[in-house]
Amino acid sequence: MNADAPTVFARTRDEPRAVGAFNAILLEHAEAIVAGAEKAALPVILQISQNAIRYHGSLEPFAVACLRLAAGASVPVLVHLDHIEDRRLVDEGLALGIRSIMFDAATLSYEANVAGTREVTEQCHAAGCWVEAELGEIGGKDGAHAPGVRTDPDEAAGFVAATGVDSLAVAVGSSHAMAGRDAVLDDELIGALAEAVPVPLVLHGSSGVPDDGIRRAVANGIAKVNIGTRLNQVLTGSVRATLAERADLTDPRRYLAPGRDQVRDEVARLLCLLRGT
């Protein structure tokens, strides 16, 4: 079922648990994310990044497919636009019925980030849409999630007050697109941010964090955990293994279906991990 963000986040503020947010690039990703959530019997956030939109050439076809998958699911599924920098995609997403958007102005100055994020938040709230944002550094692809960057709790609280956002991605030691799982998070900082910031905290770059690190992050106050690279590793590893065994295969269904099933199982496992039990 299509869900709204307040429903998905309802239990994360009062309990040590987080909602899993998984990035989909292919339809197989999206199908596996929904199937994994159903296997775990837990809500999930199905994310479409601006990079994925660029890959497909436009937002509408893939977003509509994801919304239809969500509508047919037996668990709450929130379709979310991730790392959106192009304001036109905000407009298009709202028109399509997207009700959760991460607006990314983190590579701008603090003042420009506040001004742009406040404008988008006002627009989205008028349409009943949840807004996530982040604090970052000037320049660099990773923004707030470059390895050495850390979010200041007082600045984060001021940013939320100034912009009115509903959730905030914070820099606590993770980084995007990590191949290994050896990131070390700043647990003390996560706790301080949770005390200072009155909205759910989001951890980006979580594929590089080991399971124990994710558990501690959730226990200390992280409410949303973004995972993308890990799913790509699982899917690609499965495809490579299948083609190594059957070099004669040409039908993509024969090698993508096993990968989709493994991604489903990994999504279910990670969702259970995030329950805090």
Side-chain angles (χ1 to χ4, degrees):
M1 65 195 78
N2 272 308
D4 60 17
T7 298
V8 170
F9 281 98
R11 298 179 65 183
T12 63
R13 197 63 182 176
D14 299 324
E15 300 180 25
R17 65 169 61 198
V19 59
F22 301 91
N23 283 77
I25 301 172
L26 307 177
L27 184 59
E28 284 78 11
H29 283 108
E31 292 171 337
I33 291 164
V34 172
E38 291 180 323
K39 182 176 180 178
L42 291 167
V44 74
I45 299 175
L46 171 55
Q47 301 194 147
I48 307 169
S49 72
Q50 183 164 304
N51 285 336
I53 295 165
R54 186 178 298 116
Y55 168 77
H56 287 286
S58 63
L59 171 62
E60 183 172 359
F62 192 52
V64 169
C66 290
L67 288 165
R68 294 291 175 82
L69 282 169
S74 61
V75 294
V77 179
L78 174 64
V79 179
H80 170 87
L81 300 187
D82 188 39
H83 283 287
I84 300 300
E85 300 176 12
D86 188 340
R87 292 282 294 270
R88 293 171 297 181
L89 290 175
V90 174
D91 298 339
E92 187 176 353
L94 294 176
L96 290 171
I98 298 291
R99 291 298 175 260
S100 183
I101 295 174
M102 187 268 183
F103 180 65
D104 186 356
T107 58
L108 304 178
S109 69
Y110 178 82
E111 293 75 14
N113 190 351
V114 167
T117 302
R118 182 170 56 236
E119 289 179 3
V120 168
T121 300
E122 291 172 354
Q123 175 190 5
C124 289
H125 283 178
C129 179
W130 180 278
V131 179
E132 175 186 329
E134 72 175 35
L135 287 170
E137 61 179 354
I138 297 174
K141 175 181 180 294
D142 280 342
H145 308 289
V149 177
R150 297 291 184 271
T151 300
D152 178 81
D154 291 336
E155 185 177 64
F159 181 85
V160 170
T163 59
V165 295
D166 302 292
S167 58
L168 185 69
V170 292
V172 293
S174 59
S175 182
H176 289 127
M178 289 186 67
R181 302 189 69 199
D182 55 1
V184 178
L185 301 181
D186 189 331
D187 296 329
E188 184 177 349
L189 177 58
I190 293 172
L193 286 162
E195 287 290 328
V197 178
V199 299
L201 300 180
V202 183
L203 180 67
H204 286 221
S206 304
S207 295
V209 183
D211 286 357
D212 285 345
I214 289 176
R215 287 191 188 95
R216 290 195 304 272
V218 173
N220 283 306
I222 291 293
K224 174 176 180 267
V225 175
N226 284 19
I227 298 168
T229 299
R230 177 60 188 155
L231 302 191
N232 295 335
Q233 291 169 333
V234 169
L235 179 61
T236 303
S238 173
V239 169
R240 285 181 174 141
T242 301
L243 291 178
E245 293 176 1
R246 293 283 309 280
D248 61 316
L249 284 180
T250 57
D251 185 341
R253 292 171 295 186
R254 300 293 185 184
Y255 53 82
L256 286 174
R260 181 180 57 189
D261 290 346
Q262 288 191 28
V263 172
R264 174 202 63 203
D265 293 345
E266 181 67 357
V267 167
R269 186 188 75 80
L270 288 166
L271 287 173
C272 291
L273 175 73
L274 297 174
R275 282 189 302 184
T277 59

